[in-house]
PDB file of all heavy atoms in Angstrom:
ATOM      1  N   LYS D  62     -45.212  39.782   8.103  1.00 86.00           N
ATOM      2  CA  LYS D  62     -45.350  39.970   9.651  1.00 86.00           C
ATOM      3  C   LYS D  62     -46.848  39.519  10.007  1.00 86.00           C
ATOM      4  O   LYS D  62     -46.978  38.824  10.962  1.00 86.00           O
ATOM      5  CB  LYS D  62     -45.084  41.367   9.984  1.00 86.00           C
ATOM      6  CG  LYS D  62     -45.348  41.598  11.554  1.00 86.00           C
ATOM      7  CD  LYS D  62     -44.287  40.961  12.382  1.00 86.00           C
ATOM      8  CE  LYS D  62     -44.320  41.497  13.907  1.00 86.00           C
ATOM      9  NZ  LYS D  62     -45.561  41.269  14.528  1.00 86.00           N
ATOM     10  N   PHE D  63     -47.773  40.005   9.291  1.00 81.00           N
ATOM     11  CA  PHE D  63     -49.255  39.705   9.500  1.00 81.00           C
ATOM     12  C   PHE D  63     -49.452  38.174   9.475  1.00 81.00           C
ATOM     13  O   PHE D  63     -50.009  37.480  10.332  1.00 81.00           O
ATOM     14  CB  PHE D  63     -50.106  40.437   8.584  1.00 81.00           C
ATOM     15  CG  PHE D  63     -51.617  40.247   8.918  1.00 81.00           C
ATOM     16  CD1 PHE D  63     -52.148  41.136   9.913  1.00 81.00           C
ATOM     17  CD2 PHE D  63     -52.395  39.410   8.266  1.00 81.00           C
ATOM     18  CE1 PHE D  63     -53.562  40.902  10.277  1.00 81.00           C
ATOM     19  CE2 PHE D  63     -53.699  39.149   8.541  1.00 81.00           C
ATOM     20  CZ  PHE D  63     -54.200  39.949   9.603  1.00 81.00           C
ATOM     21  N   LEU D  64     -48.895  37.642   8.264  1.00 81.00           N
ATOM     22  CA  LEU D  64     -49.003  36.082   8.097  1.00 81.00           C
ATOM     23  C   LEU D  64     -48.282  35.355   9.172  1.00 81.00           C
ATOM     24  O   LEU D  64     -48.916  34.326   9.719  1.00 81.00           O
ATOM     25  CB  LEU D  64     -48.431  35.771   6.748  1.00 81.00           C
ATOM     26  CG  LEU D  64     -48.477  34.357   6.396  1.00 81.00           C
ATOM     27  CD1 LEU D  64     -49.906  33.804   6.328  1.00 81.00           C
ATOM     28  CD2 LEU D  64     -47.729  34.072   5.033  1.00 81.00           C
ATOM     29  N   GLY D  65     -47.029  35.813   9.573  1.00 85.00           N
ATOM     30  CA  GLY D  65     -46.319  35.028  10.613  1.00 85.00           C
ATOM     31  C   GLY D  65     -46.968  35.140  11.893  1.00 85.00           C
ATOM     32  O   GLY D  65     -47.048  34.045  12.522  1.00 85.00           O
ATOM     33  N   ASP D  66     -47.464  36.216  12.275  1.00 87.00           N
ATOM     34  CA  ASP D  66     -48.313  36.319  13.509  1.00 87.00           C
ATOM     35  C   ASP D  66     -49.468  35.382  13.554  1.00 87.00           C
ATOM     36  O   ASP D  66     -49.839  34.679  14.592  1.00 87.00           O
ATOM     37  CB  ASP D  66     -48.683  37.700  13.834  1.00 87.00           C
ATOM     38  CG  ASP D  66     -47.509  38.589  14.220  1.00 87.00           C
ATOM     39  OD1 ASP D  66     -46.350  38.144  14.513  1.00 87.00           O
ATOM     40  OD2 ASP D  66     -47.618  39.854  14.212  1.00 87.00           O
ATOM     41  N   ALA D  67     -50.197  35.352  12.393  1.00 82.00           N
ATOM     42  CA  ALA D  67     -51.435  34.555  12.349  1.00 82.00           C
ATOM     43  C   ALA D  67     -51.013  33.078  12.439  1.00 82.00           C
ATOM     44  O   ALA D  67     -51.738  32.279  13.070  1.00 82.00           O
ATOM     45  CB  ALA D  67     -52.094  34.885  11.036  1.00 82.00           C
ATOM     46  N   ILE D  68     -49.992  32.730  11.743  1.00 82.00           N
ATOM     47  CA  ILE D  68     -49.500  31.291  11.754  1.00 82.00           C
ATOM     48  C   ILE D  68     -49.103  30.918  13.200  1.00 82.00           C
ATOM     49  O   ILE D  68     -49.453  29.911  13.645  1.00 82.00           O
ATOM     50  CB  ILE D  68     -48.332  31.145  10.805  1.00 82.00           C
ATOM     51  CG1 ILE D  68     -48.792  31.130   9.411  1.00 82.00           C
ATOM     52  CG2 ILE D  68     -47.731  29.758  11.047  1.00 82.00           C
ATOM     53  CD1 ILE D  68     -47.697  31.131   8.339  1.00 82.00           C
ATOM     54  N   ARG D  69     -48.373  31.796  13.861  1.00 88.00           N
ATOM     55  CA  ARG D  69     -47.825  31.455  15.211  1.00 88.00           C
ATOM     56  C   ARG D  69     -48.998  31.205  16.142  1.00 88.00           C
ATOM     57  O   ARG D  69     -48.962  30.263  16.910  1.00 88.00           O
ATOM     58  CB  ARG D  69     -46.935  32.595  15.572  1.00 88.00           C
ATOM     59  CG  ARG D  69     -46.256  32.372  17.033  1.00 88.00           C
ATOM     60  CD  ARG D  69     -45.288  33.461  17.348  1.00 88.00           C
ATOM     61  NE  ARG D  69     -45.824  34.829  17.250  1.00 88.00           N
ATOM     62  CZ  ARG D  69     -46.585  35.378  18.083  1.00 88.00           C
ATOM     63  NH1 ARG D  69     -46.908  34.795  19.211  1.00 88.00           N
ATOM     64  NH2 ARG D  69     -47.098  36.652  17.893  1.00 88.00           N
ATOM     65  N   ILE D  70     -49.944  32.088  16.078  1.00 85.00           N
ATOM     66  CA  ILE D  70     -51.116  31.999  16.987  1.00 85.00           C
ATOM     67  C   ILE D  70     -51.963  30.806  16.653  1.00 85.00           C
ATOM     68  O   ILE D  70     -52.346  30.064  17.509  1.00 85.00           O
ATOM     69  CB  ILE D  70     -51.881  33.316  16.925  1.00 85.00           C
ATOM     70  CG1 ILE D  70     -51.136  34.496  17.526  1.00 85.00           C
ATOM     71  CG2 ILE D  70     -53.215  33.206  17.702  1.00 85.00           C
ATOM     72  CD1 ILE D  70     -51.720  35.898  17.189  1.00 85.00           C
ATOM     73  N   SER D  71     -52.086  30.535  15.402  1.00 81.00           N
ATOM     74  CA  SER D  71     -52.979  29.442  14.955  1.00 81.00           C
ATOM     75  C   SER D  71     -52.428  28.132  15.377  1.00 81.00           C
ATOM     76  O   SER D  71     -53.121  27.161  15.755  1.00 81.00           O
ATOM     77  CB  SER D  71     -53.285  29.480  13.434  1.00 81.00           C
ATOM     78  OG  SER D  71     -53.916  30.650  13.044  1.00 81.00           O
ATOM     79  N   PHE D  72     -51.155  27.922  15.111  1.00 83.00           N
ATOM     80  CA  PHE D  72     -50.360  26.745  15.415  1.00 83.00           C
ATOM     81  C   PHE D  72     -49.792  26.688  16.884  1.00 83.00           C
ATOM     82  O   PHE D  72     -49.204  25.664  17.191  1.00 83.00           O
ATOM     83  CB  PHE D  72     -49.253  26.536  14.411  1.00 83.00           C
ATOM     84  CG  PHE D  72     -49.680  26.181  13.012  1.00 83.00           C
ATOM     85  CD1 PHE D  72     -50.206  27.103  12.170  1.00 83.00           C
ATOM     86  CD2 PHE D  72     -49.603  24.772  12.621  1.00 83.00           C
ATOM     87  CE1 PHE D  72     -50.614  26.657  10.824  1.00 83.00           C
ATOM     88  CE2 PHE D  72     -49.910  24.441  11.337  1.00 83.00           C
ATOM     89  CZ  PHE D  72     -50.445  25.352  10.455  1.00 83.00           C
ATOM     90  N   ARG D  73     -50.034  27.752  17.654  1.00 88.00           N
ATOM     91  CA  ARG D  73     -49.547  27.764  18.992  1.00 88.00           C
ATOM     92  C   ARG D  73     -48.138  27.542  19.125  1.00 88.00           C
ATOM     93  O   ARG D  73     -47.560  26.667  19.800  1.00 88.00           O
ATOM     94  CB  ARG D  73     -50.305  26.799  19.846  1.00 88.00           C
ATOM     95  CG  ARG D  73     -51.761  27.016  19.914  1.00 88.00           C
ATOM     96  CD  ARG D  73     -52.492  26.020  20.720  1.00 88.00           C
ATOM     97  NE  ARG D  73     -53.966  26.305  20.772  1.00 88.00           N
ATOM     98  CZ  ARG D  73     -54.837  25.549  21.424  1.00 88.00           C
ATOM     99  NH1 ARG D  73     -54.412  24.515  22.128  1.00 88.00           N
ATOM    100  NH2 ARG D  73     -56.103  25.832  21.282  1.00 88.00           N
ATOM    101  N   LEU D  74     -47.327  28.335  18.382  1.00 91.00           N
ATOM    102  CA  LEU D  74     -45.904  28.277  18.247  1.00 91.00           C
ATOM    103  C   LEU D  74     -45.146  29.377  19.091  1.00 91.00           C
ATOM    104  O   LEU D  74     -45.845  30.386  19.414  1.00 91.00           O
ATOM    105  CB  LEU D  74     -45.469  28.311  16.771  1.00 91.00           C
ATOM    106  CG  LEU D  74     -46.061  27.287  15.896  1.00 91.00           C
ATOM    107  CD1 LEU D  74     -45.745  27.552  14.431  1.00 91.00           C
ATOM    108  CD2 LEU D  74     -45.486  25.856  16.204  1.00 91.00           C
ATOM    109  N   ARG D  75     -43.856  29.274  19.192  1.00 92.00           N
ATOM    110  CA  ARG D  75     -43.052  30.283  19.795  1.00 92.00           C
ATOM    111  C   ARG D  75     -42.435  31.208  18.724  1.00 92.00           C
ATOM    112  O   ARG D  75     -42.175  32.429  18.941  1.00 92.00           O
ATOM    113  CB  ARG D  75     -41.910  29.687  20.634  1.00 92.00           C
ATOM    114  CG  ARG D  75     -42.295  28.843  21.769  1.00 92.00           C
ATOM    115  CD  ARG D  75     -42.897  29.651  22.883  1.00 92.00           C
ATOM    116  NE  ARG D  75     -41.986  30.587  23.530  1.00 92.00           N
ATOM    117  CZ  ARG D  75     -40.908  30.320  24.262  1.00 92.00           C
ATOM    118  NH1 ARG D  75     -40.745  29.139  24.665  1.00 92.00           N
ATOM    119  NH2 ARG D  75     -40.130  31.285  24.785  1.00 92.00           N
ATOM    120  N   SER D  76     -42.173  30.635  17.580  1.00 93.00           N
ATOM    121  CA  SER D  76     -41.486  31.512  16.513  1.00 93.00           C
ATOM    122  C   SER D  76     -41.809  30.824  15.160  1.00 93.00           C
ATOM    123  O   SER D  76     -42.061  29.646  14.960  1.00 93.00           O
ATOM    124  CB  SER D  76     -39.980  31.505  16.789  1.00 93.00           C
ATOM    125  OG  SER D  76     -39.451  30.100  17.027  1.00 93.00           O
ATOM    126  N   VAL D  77     -41.754  31.811  14.171  1.00 92.00           N
ATOM    127  CA  VAL D  77     -41.880  31.431  12.762  1.00 92.00           C
ATOM    128  C   VAL D  77     -40.875  32.025  11.931  1.00 92.00           C
ATOM    129  O   VAL D  77     -40.532  33.214  12.030  1.00 92.00           O
ATOM    130  CB  VAL D  77     -43.300  31.994  12.169  1.00 92.00           C
ATOM    131  CG1 VAL D  77     -43.551  31.552  10.749  1.00 92.00           C
ATOM    132  CG2 VAL D  77     -44.502  31.305  13.006  1.00 92.00           C
ATOM    133  N   TYR D  78     -40.169  31.186  11.141  1.00 91.00           N
ATOM    134  CA  TYR D  78     -39.001  31.715  10.309  1.00 91.00           C
ATOM    135  C   TYR D  78     -39.337  31.394   8.798  1.00 91.00           C
ATOM    136  O   TYR D  78     -40.081  30.549   8.493  1.00 91.00           O
ATOM    137  CB  TYR D  78     -37.723  30.844  10.603  1.00 91.00           C
ATOM    138  CG  TYR D  78     -37.186  31.016  12.072  1.00 91.00           C
ATOM    139  CD1 TYR D  78     -37.604  30.031  13.047  1.00 91.00           C
ATOM    140  CD2 TYR D  78     -36.265  31.973  12.347  1.00 91.00           C
ATOM    141  CE1 TYR D  78     -37.120  30.250  14.349  1.00 91.00           C
ATOM    142  CE2 TYR D  78     -35.884  32.095  13.666  1.00 91.00           C
ATOM    143  CZ  TYR D  78     -36.207  31.192  14.623  1.00 91.00           C
ATOM    144  OH  TYR D  78     -35.784  31.346  15.904  1.00 91.00           O
ATOM    145  N   ILE D  79     -38.675  32.203   8.022  1.00 88.00           N
ATOM    146  CA  ILE D  79     -38.665  31.935   6.570  1.00 88.00           C
ATOM    147  C   ILE D  79     -37.295  31.411   6.203  1.00 88.00           C
ATOM    148  O   ILE D  79     -36.283  32.002   6.595  1.00 88.00           O
ATOM    149  CB  ILE D  79     -38.889  33.203   5.756  1.00 88.00           C
ATOM    150  CG1 ILE D  79     -40.417  33.617   5.939  1.00 88.00           C
ATOM    151  CG2 ILE D  79     -38.673  32.989   4.250  1.00 88.00           C
ATOM    152  CD1 ILE D  79     -40.723  35.055   5.300  1.00 88.00           C
ATOM    153  N   LEU D  80     -37.175  30.323   5.553  1.00 85.00           N
ATOM    154  CA  LEU D  80     -35.933  29.809   5.054  1.00 85.00           C
ATOM    155  C   LEU D  80     -35.525  30.441   3.777  1.00 85.00           C
ATOM    156  O   LEU D  80     -36.254  30.327   2.726  1.00 85.00           O
ATOM    157  CB  LEU D  80     -36.068  28.224   4.794  1.00 85.00           C
ATOM    158  CG  LEU D  80     -34.826  27.554   4.253  1.00 85.00           C
ATOM    159  CD1 LEU D  80     -33.654  27.638   5.182  1.00 85.00           C
ATOM    160  CD2 LEU D  80     -35.167  26.137   3.901  1.00 85.00           C
ATOM    161  N   ASN D  81     -34.478  31.178   3.768  1.00 82.00           N
ATOM    162  CA  ASN D  81     -33.955  31.862   2.627  1.00 82.00           C
ATOM    163  C   ASN D  81     -33.174  30.985   1.679  1.00 82.00           C
ATOM    164  O   ASN D  81     -33.304  30.943   0.495  1.00 82.00           O
ATOM    165  CB  ASN D  81     -33.095  33.183   2.924  1.00 82.00           C
ATOM    166  CG  ASN D  81     -33.953  34.156   3.673  1.00 82.00           C
ATOM    167  OD1 ASN D  81     -35.048  34.351   3.387  1.00 82.00           O
ATOM    168  ND2 ASN D  81     -33.322  34.702   4.684  1.00 82.00           N
ATOM    169  N   SER D  82     -32.179  30.281   2.329  1.00 75.00           N
ATOM    170  CA  SER D  82     -31.340  29.430   1.506  1.00 75.00           C
ATOM    171  C   SER D  82     -30.641  28.393   2.464  1.00 75.00           C
ATOM    172  O   SER D  82     -30.718  28.601   3.677  1.00 75.00           O
ATOM    173  CB  SER D  82     -30.291  30.190   0.795  1.00 75.00           C
ATOM    174  OG  SER D  82     -29.403  30.877   1.625  1.00 75.00           O
ATOM    175  N   ILE D  83     -29.937  27.416   1.853  1.00 73.00           N
ATOM    176  CA  ILE D  83     -29.102  26.616   2.617  1.00 73.00           C
ATOM    177  C   ILE D  83     -27.673  26.800   2.185  1.00 73.00           C
ATOM    178  O   ILE D  83     -27.431  26.496   0.968  1.00 73.00           O
ATOM    179  CB  ILE D  83     -29.577  25.115   2.511  1.00 73.00           C
ATOM    180  CG1 ILE D  83     -31.049  24.996   3.072  1.00 73.00           C
ATOM    181  CG2 ILE D  83     -28.557  24.190   3.309  1.00 73.00           C
ATOM    182  CD1 ILE D  83     -31.592  23.633   2.862  1.00 73.00           C
ATOM    183  N   GLU D  84     -26.722  27.086   3.004  1.00 69.00           N
ATOM    184  CA  GLU D  84     -25.501  27.493   2.558  1.00 69.00           C
ATOM    185  C   GLU D  84     -24.316  26.489   2.827  1.00 69.00           C
ATOM    186  O   GLU D  84     -24.275  26.000   3.978  1.00 69.00           O
ATOM    187  CB  GLU D  84     -25.149  28.874   3.226  1.00 69.00           C
ATOM    188  CG  GLU D  84     -26.143  29.974   2.928  1.00 69.00           C
ATOM    189  CD  GLU D  84     -25.916  31.172   3.776  1.00 69.00           C
ATOM    190  OE1 GLU D  84     -25.131  31.192   4.680  1.00 69.00           O
ATOM    191  OE2 GLU D  84     -26.574  32.194   3.439  1.00 69.00           O
ATOM    192  N   GLY D  85     -23.477  26.197   1.705  1.00 64.00           N
ATOM    193  CA  GLY D  85     -22.250  25.593   1.965  1.00 64.00           C
ATOM    194  C   GLY D  85     -22.339  24.103   2.244  1.00 64.00           C
ATOM    195  O   GLY D  85     -23.446  23.588   2.299  1.00 64.00           O
ATOM    196  N   ASP D  86     -21.130  23.407   2.277  1.00 65.00           N
ATOM    197  CA  ASP D  86     -21.149  21.969   2.514  1.00 65.00           C
ATOM    198  C   ASP D  86     -21.764  21.636   3.894  1.00 65.00           C
ATOM    199  O   ASP D  86     -22.123  20.453   3.994  1.00 65.00           O
ATOM    200  CB  ASP D  86     -19.618  21.553   2.416  1.00 65.00           C
ATOM    201  CG  ASP D  86     -19.048  21.586   1.038  1.00 65.00           C
ATOM    202  OD1 ASP D  86     -19.917  21.603   0.152  1.00 65.00           O
ATOM    203  OD2 ASP D  86     -17.829  21.655   0.870  1.00 65.00           O
ATOM    204  N   THR D  87     -21.664  22.429   4.805  1.00 61.00           N
ATOM    205  CA  THR D  87     -22.184  22.193   6.193  1.00 61.00           C
ATOM    206  C   THR D  87     -23.700  22.489   6.210  1.00 61.00           C
ATOM    207  O   THR D  87     -24.328  22.126   7.301  1.00 61.00           O
ATOM    208  CB  THR D  87     -21.570  23.100   7.203  1.00 61.00           C
ATOM    209  OG1 THR D  87     -21.689  24.485   6.841  1.00 61.00           O
ATOM    210  CG2 THR D  87     -20.103  22.725   7.433  1.00 61.00           C
ATOM    211  N   ARG D  88     -24.295  22.828   5.019  1.00 66.00           N
ATOM    212  CA  ARG D  88     -25.815  22.938   4.925  1.00 66.00           C
ATOM    213  C   ARG D  88     -26.418  23.793   6.098  1.00 66.00           C
ATOM    214  O   ARG D  88     -27.355  23.332   6.842  1.00 66.00           O
ATOM    215  CB  ARG D  88     -26.468  21.556   4.900  1.00 66.00           C
ATOM    216  CG  ARG D  88     -26.143  20.905   3.649  1.00 66.00           C
ATOM    217  CD  ARG D  88     -26.822  19.588   3.475  1.00 66.00           C
ATOM    218  NE  ARG D  88     -28.267  19.677   3.519  1.00 66.00           N
ATOM    219  CZ  ARG D  88     -28.954  20.112   2.503  1.00 66.00           C
ATOM    220  NH1 ARG D  88     -28.433  20.458   1.342  1.00 66.00           N
ATOM    221  NH2 ARG D  88     -30.328  20.186   2.513  1.00 66.00           N
ATOM    222  N   VAL D  89     -25.822  24.948   6.336  1.00 75.00           N
ATOM    223  CA  VAL D  89     -26.259  25.889   7.325  1.00 75.00           C
ATOM    224  C   VAL D  89     -27.451  26.760   6.869  1.00 75.00           C
ATOM    225  O   VAL D  89     -27.317  27.349   5.701  1.00 75.00           O
ATOM    226  CB  VAL D  89     -25.117  26.838   7.901  1.00 75.00           C
ATOM    227  CG1 VAL D  89     -25.773  27.824   8.912  1.00 75.00           C
ATOM    228  CG2 VAL D  89     -24.051  26.023   8.484  1.00 75.00           C
TER     229      VAL D  89
END
Side-chain angles (χ1 to χ4, degrees):
K62 176 67 168 62
F63 186 83
L64 177 64
D66 288 345
I68 289 173
R69 180 174 53 81
I70 294 167
S71 298
F72 284 78
R73 298 181 181 178
L74 303 170
R75 298 288 300 282
S76 50
V77 178
Y78 298 89
I79 293 174
L80 177 64
N81 296 320
S82 62
I83 300 174
E84 301 172 350
D86 290 339
T87 54
R88 294 183 59 76
V89 175

